[in-house]
Amino acid sequence: MTQAWSGDMAAMLAQAEDPSVFGFEVAREGAPVNSDCYAIPADAQHPGTAMLFIDYMLRPENVKKNIEYIGYPMPVRGTEDTYAALVEPFPQCLVTADDLAADLFFRNGDAAGERARDAAWTDVKAG
C-alpha cells in the first residue's frame, strides 16, 4: 500500500503488465484536489516566448498527448474524454463538481504557517 496521486496511478496503469491487480481508493471524507499550472516569472527574460510555449501546450491536440504521457487531467475543453479513458479502470481518479465544491484545495499559508508545515514534514521524514 502507498499514498499516490491519481496521475501516479494512471502512469502506473499504463506501464503495468496486469493493471487489474491494482486498486485505487479515495477516503470517504474526500481527498485534496490540486492542479499544476503554467506560470511566467515577472522578471522572465523572454516572456513572449514563454507565452508561445504555453499557447502550444494548451492546444487540445497537445493537451491530449500530455494527459496520456503524464497521467493527469488538464482543464482544457475537449480533452475530458482522454483522461476518462485513461483512468477507466479507476473512476475514483476523476475529479467531479462535488469534489471541487468540497473545498479540499491546497493553499499557501502565511510565512509562519509555511514554516510550521515545513517543520512538521521534516519531523515526519526524519522519523
Side-chain angles (χ1 to χ4, degrees), residues 30-45:
V33 176
N34 196 21
S35 181
D36 295 335
C37 65
Y38 293 110
I40 303 170
D43 62 348
Q45 290 183 358

Side-chain angles (χ1 to χ4, degrees), residues 54-96:
I54 293 170
D55 177 69
Y56 173 81
M57 291 301 294
L58 292 178
R59 294 177 190 165
E61 64 274 15
N62 297 328
V63 168
K64 289 178 181 182
K65 291 177 190 174
N66 201 14
I67 290 170
E68 291 168 347
Y69 181 75
I70 64 172
Y72 285 97
M74 295 179 69
V76 174
R77 189 180 315 278
T79 65
E80 301 87 354
D81 290 345
T82 302
Y83 184 71
L86 186 69
V87 297
E88 187 174 3
F90 300 101
Q92 307 92 314
C93 292
L94 293 173
V95 176
T96 67

Side-chain angles (χ1 to χ4, degrees), residues 102-117:
D103 197 32
L104 296 172
F105 297 95
F106 287 117
R107 292 176 179 80
N108 291 329
D110 60 19
E114 291 296 306
R115 283 192 300 275
R117 183 182 67 180

